[in-house]
Amino acid sequence: NQLEKVFYTTNGRAVNNRRGIEVDYRAEPKVSSLSALLSSSGAYFEFATEFCSRQQWSPDGSAGFAVDNQIYNDFKSFVLKEQRRGNLKLEEVFDDKHLLENIRMLSVESNLHDSS
């Protein structure tokens, strides 16, 4: 494209004026089946929403925030409560059929990553 120009940083890295710097390596995040289920079900979001609504936040109060054992235990209790209500189907991830499928998929993914 005639409108695109390539510039170089002082270290020789190419920068396209239309796309910026291209990544050297794309890393795919490794996500467990449980984490994927909790994310796709909205459990992380729902817990965070409830958690934040119970907190007294100052404008800059989140700067030093860290998850401690109490918050982690609250999250586990939240997940169990949601499972009992039928909002989460964790047993589907860990039953024999799904567990074997997850192991097979992880094996295939591992072989793909090992060969690259």
Side-chain angles (χ1 to χ4, degrees), residues 28-93:
E28 296 297 324
K30 294 185 180 188
V31 179
S32 70
S33 298
L34 177 59
S35 184
L37 176 67
L38 292 172
S39 180
S40 67
S41 70
Y44 292 135
F45 179 79
E46 293 298 326
F47 176 77
T49 301
E50 280 187 27
F51 177 81
C52 289
S53 71
R54 296 187 312 257
Q55 304 304 310
Q56 298 289 327
W57 295 101
S58 64
D60 61 345
S62 63
F65 176 78
V67 174
D68 59 17
N69 285 337
Q70 181 61 51
I71 296 170
Y72 180 66
N73 288 331
D74 289 348
F75 178 71
K76 289 191 301 186
S77 296
F78 172 81
V79 168
L80 291 173
K81 179 179 71 174
E82 291 299 303
Q83 187 176 13
R84 277 188 242 113
R85 288 180 176 169
N87 297 334
L88 287 173
K89 306 284 188 214
L90 298 179
E91 63 277 358
E92 290 178 6
V93 174

